[in-house]
Amino acid sequence: MRLLFILKSREGNWGYASGSSGLANSVRFVVDMLTSHGIEAKAVEVQDNNCIDREVTAYRPTHVIVEAFWVVPEKFNVLKALHPRVRWIVRDHSETPFLANEGIAFGWTAAYLARGVEVMCNAPRAVGDMQVVASACAHPETLVTYGPNYYPTPSGGEISAKPMPSDVIDIGCFGAIRPLKNHMVQAIAAMAFADAAGLSLRFHVNATRVEGNGSPVLKNLREVFAASRHELVEHGWQEHADFLRLMATMDICMQVSFTETFNIVAADAMASSVPVVASSEFPWLGEYAFADPTSSKGIAALLMKIWAESDVARSYRLHRQRRDMVNYNQRSECVWLERFA
């Protein structure tokens, strides 16, 4: 087996350098896991469809995994003729509610399947939905497969929660600003919590990657914080190592989104020993971290609970986050190794 993961370079498009996107980090983690088990794997970034043949010719893989929906279906007619022994796979990183806002996603999925191109989803529910699409379009459901995420979890050592502040609290709500990421409800919840706790809030977001009609969300965030006693702190997109250093300065990480397949920001918080507030969409966290994304009151209550916990109780929360990721990784490894080892 020899796996080649191919991403489209986004340098300059989203405010981050090539190789530093969440998708690029996600792929790198899977590649590193596979190579640690003796499986030949490599990830490359290319400018467009026309660069794929060059990379495949140079690496001579058995499987090519195109990360996300960016290769036009017709291109596979050419690529399959040039490389008939290669197994071609397009990997989906989103659940249906998010993909529904991508105008090409489902039409391209049907066109991929019609050409015998496998569609690999990183979430079981997405697999089910895509199998329905395959069946409805008279294509084999076996062309829809599962390829979960993997995240390198810190190992060993005691986890000690840092004391919560009594004056100014830093809450990170990072990631691309999109409507389904639910920034506005989370901001309101954070304000309600801070007011109830007698704290000043610094609410941290990434403001240089706005997509999927997220501009009104960012505008509303800026305006409500400008009128409040709290502060909105805007950050650019960062290299992963730099972002981990930033995350480590947060008191709490919020990711109470409407739809998720994994969420690397929350995983980064776990790795940085920062408590995570999330939604039940997360496949690797437990109920102790969940809040209803439609209830700012419920989210604020969980923020208050975390802030009021003893250092011992909060340390246990951090242990649970790490344990949950380890368990998820073990399941993920089994999926990948069962197929490719």
Side-chain angles (χ1 to χ4, degrees), residues 5 7 19 21-32 67 91 93 122 147-152 262 264:
F5 294 76
L7 301 86
S21 70
L23 182 59
N25 290 328
S26 171
V27 174
R28 175 168 55 87
F29 299 151
V30 170
V31 168
D32 289 346
E67 294 291 339
R91 191 156 171 245
H93 287 260
N122 72 334
N149 284 64
Y150 181 90
Y151 189 93
F262 182 76
I264 284 186

Side-chain angles (χ1 to χ4, degrees), residues 51-74:
C51 301
I52 296 176
D53 171 49
R54 180 188 66 227
E55 298 293 341
V56 175
T57 299
Y59 192 63
R60 301 178 64 84
T62 58
H63 297 72
V64 172
I65 302 176
V66 175
E67 294 291 339
F69 296 90
W70 60 272
V71 176
V72 295
E74 294 76 15

Side-chain angles (χ1 to χ4, degrees), residues 77-251:
N77 297 341
V78 177
L79 292 170
K80 292 187 75 173
L82 290 172
H83 307 280
R85 295 184 179 181
V86 169
R87 176 72 168 180
W88 295 93
I89 302 169
V90 173
R91 191 156 171 245
D92 166 29
H93 287 260
S94 302
E95 295 275 17
T96 296
F98 180 82
L99 283 181
N101 291 289
E102 299 289 324
I104 51 84
F106 288 96
W108 281 18
T109 293
Y112 291 148
L113 297 172
R115 290 166 170 79
V117 175
E118 179 182 327
V119 175
M120 175 185 282
C121 305
N122 72 334
R125 191 167 55 192
V127 171
D129 288 352
M130 287 302 187
Q131 285 176 339
V132 171
V133 171
S135 178
C137 297
H139 303 308
E141 291 184 12
T142 53
L143 280 175
V144 180
T145 58
Y146 180 43
N149 284 64
Y150 181 90
Y151 189 93
T153 310
S155 59
E158 288 296 317
I159 304 174
S160 298
K162 64 181 182 181
M164 281 289 170
S166 59
D167 49 1
V168 179
I169 191 163
D170 289 283
I171 295 181
C173 191
F174 296 107
I177 295 181
R178 311 181 187 116
L180 291 176
K181 285 293 186 181
N182 201 29
H183 281 80
M184 200 67 233
V185 172
Q186 294 180 83
I188 291 170
M191 287 178 171
F193 151 68
D195 288 343
L199 300 168
S200 294
L201 168 67
R202 286 194 291 249
F203 192 75
H204 298 255
V205 300
N206 291 117
T208 56
R209 183 177 171 187
V210 181
E211 61 187 60
N213 199 33
S215 295
V217 178
L218 181 58
K219 181 176 184 291
N220 278 311
L221 285 171
R222 286 169 170 166
E223 291 181 355
V224 74
F225 274 97
S228 79
R229 69 181 187 87
H230 302 294
E231 180 183 0
L232 180 68
V233 184
E234 300 183 14
H235 300 267
W237 209 262
Q238 300 179 354
E239 295 290 339
H240 191 231
D242 295 329
F243 180 69
L244 286 173
R245 283 188 284 271
L246 172 62
M247 178 62 78
T249 67
M250 298 295 111
D251 297 302

Side-chain angles (χ1 to χ4, degrees), residues 122 124 146 149-151 153 253 255 260-272 274-290 317-332:
N122 72 334
Y146 180 43
N149 284 64
Y150 181 90
Y151 189 93
T153 310
C253 170
Q255 292 289 290
E260 290 291 346
T261 58
F262 182 76
N263 194 292
I264 284 186
V265 169
D268 289 337
M270 174 282 304
S272 304
V274 174
V276 176
V277 176
S279 70
S280 59
E281 288 289 296
F282 282 63
W284 59 270
L285 276 168
E287 292 185 359
Y288 61 90
F290 294 162
R317 177 182 293 274
L318 298 177
H319 274 285
R320 293 180 75 182
Q321 292 179 178
R322 186 172 295 186
R323 179 199 63 195
D324 287 349
M325 180 61 80
V326 169
N327 291 339
Y328 175 90
N329 280 342
Q330 289 173 346
R331 296 191 298 270
S332 179

